[in-house]
Amino acid sequence: EPEVTQTPSHQVTQMGQEVILRCVPISNHLYFYWYRQILGQKVEFLVSFYNNEISEKSEIFDDQFSVERPDGSNFTLKIRSTKLEDSAMYFCASSGDGSVSYTFGSGTRLTVV
Amino acid sequence: GIQVEQSPPDLILQEGANSTLRCNFSDSVNNLQWFHQNPWGQLINLFYIPSGTKQNGRLSATTVATERYSLLYISSSQTTDSGVYFCAVEQFSGNTGKLIFGQGTTLQVKP
């Protein structure tokens, strides 16, 4: 079964540093997403991406965040000047055309110290 | 936006027992999914079930879209069923959608 792959699985970074989280969506999917889950809380939508541009972003997704699809396979989330409260599990997801199932990656656990 | 409410918030079962988890949503939806978050934090897709009933082994799910709720049944529970169960529904904005998650039901199955 096709998978969404995320790297790294864990990342520890110093406050104020920049991090890049990487994702390889399912190859024939058209829509890509990033979600965040702070420990013990629900999964929250950050941003959706379609046709090489952001389709929608939540109020969490401020100027500190950016997304990019640098080539035909990777989808990245960049977090600039990380803060302690950015510590969370970050999930990448993708979906095909139409209203179909979303597939989530295994997540990147980001810890800001 | 659409609201997703799950109940109960916490559930403790003895191994072998059956359980029903509920998800209510506030608007009509085209997509509803159930996920299991395992102890390592991974989100495992259990069902894509915008309407009707599906079964997969000891798990089954039913969505009654007209009444805006979905149920996840776990039969003969095992300790490996422990974790958090999330319901998520799709909300559209323009031409693209996004999944909105409920708060989850935390299930603990005791041996």
Side-chain angles (χ1 to χ4, degrees), chain B residues 1 9-10 27 31-32 53-54 56 58 62 73 81 92 98:
Chain B
D10 300 283
D27 205 347
N31 178 2
L32 186 146
T53 297
K54 290 186 178 179
N56 184 3
R58 295 181 296 102
T62 295
Y73 305 96
D81 295 330
F92 273 87
K98 63 181 181 238

Side-chain angles (χ1 to χ4, degrees), chain A residues 2-3 6 8 26 28 40 45 75 89-91 94 98-99 103 109:
Chain A
E3 291 184 343
Q6 288 188 243
I26 293 174
N28 63 347
F45 168 78
F75 181 50
M89 180 77 99
Y90 289 82
F91 292 102
S94 68
S99 188
T103 302
R109 189 174 298 281

Side-chain angles (χ1 to χ4, degrees), chain A residues 5 40 47 49 67 71-72 82 89 94 112:
Chain A
T5 304
V47 66
F49 193 87
V67 290
D71 53 44
T82 50
M89 180 77 99
S94 68
V112 182

Side-chain angles (χ1 to χ4, degrees), chain A residues 35 37 56 91 99-100 102, chain B residues 33 37 48 90 98-99:
Chain A
Y35 286 78
Q37 185 185 32
E56 185 179 356
F91 292 102
S99 188
V100 295
Y102 290 54
Chain B
Q33 291 181 240
Q37 187 165 39
Y48 165 71
E90 188 173 40
K98 63 181 181 238
L99 283 184

Side-chain angles (χ1 to χ4, degrees), chain A residues 78-90:
Chain A
K78 182 187 291 185
I79 309 174
R80 287 177 283 274
S81 190
T82 50
K83 300 174 282 194
L84 295 176
E85 53 264 40
D86 295 327
S87 295
M89 180 77 99
Y90 289 82

